[in-house]
Amino acid sequence: MSTNINANVLKNFIVDTIGSTKLTASQAQKYDIDADKYTEANKDENTYLELDEILEDSDLYEQFATMYVEEQDKEASVDAEKEKEEEAKVKEKNESGV
């Protein structure tokens, strides 16, 4: 899957998703990030990854970009379903008023 997402858009998505600019090991596990990949990206060996460390690591960047694309697809699907429901209501209303 191609994951060419603008870094600023991805930064905002990551902050919204994890609720912080720091990713802990337990949060990484929650998002199915491989522990080895987390450790590799943790260059300064803190108890967390900084946002810049996430974006600099190609594997983590790709994983969050994929999550972003999946989220966008899900939102588009929900929006399309709502639009269909609205169209059906309008059609019903027009048919009953005739």
Side-chain angles (χ1 to χ4, degrees):
M1 170 183 282
S2 176
T3 51
N4 296 325
I5 307 299
N6 177 289
N8 288 327
V9 171
L10 194 58
K11 277 183 184 182
N12 291 334
F13 173 75
I14 293 170
V15 170
D16 289 345
T17 301
I18 65 175
S20 173
T21 59
K22 298 173 181 160
L23 178 68
T24 65
S26 62
Q27 287 173 312
Q29 185 179 14
K30 176 182 171 185
Y31 296 108
D32 295 327
I33 294 171
D34 184 274
D36 291 334
K37 299 216 183 291
Y38 178 89
T39 303
E40 283 176 28
N42 196 358
K43 305 261 189 266
D44 54 8
E45 299 179 3
N46 287 338
T47 56
Y48 54 81
L49 285 176
E50 296 279 348
L51 188 56
D52 290 337
E53 290 176 302
I54 295 169
L55 296 174
E56 289 171 3
D57 185 87
S58 62
D59 290 329
L60 296 180
Y61 189 100
E62 174 137 358
Q63 182 156 2
F64 277 102
T66 300
M67 289 170 52
Y68 173 79
V69 169
E70 289 171 352
E71 186 69 27
Q72 294 300 304
D73 289 348
K74 188 184 336 176
E75 287 177 13
S77 176
V78 168
D79 288 345
E81 188 63 35
K82 285 181 181 179
E83 188 174 320
K84 282 182 185 179
E85 289 174 8
E86 288 297 319
E87 287 174 3
K89 287 179 184 177
V90 168
K91 185 177 178 181
E92 249 179 55
K93 186 176 180 179
N94 287 340
E95 288 175 354
S96 66
V98 174

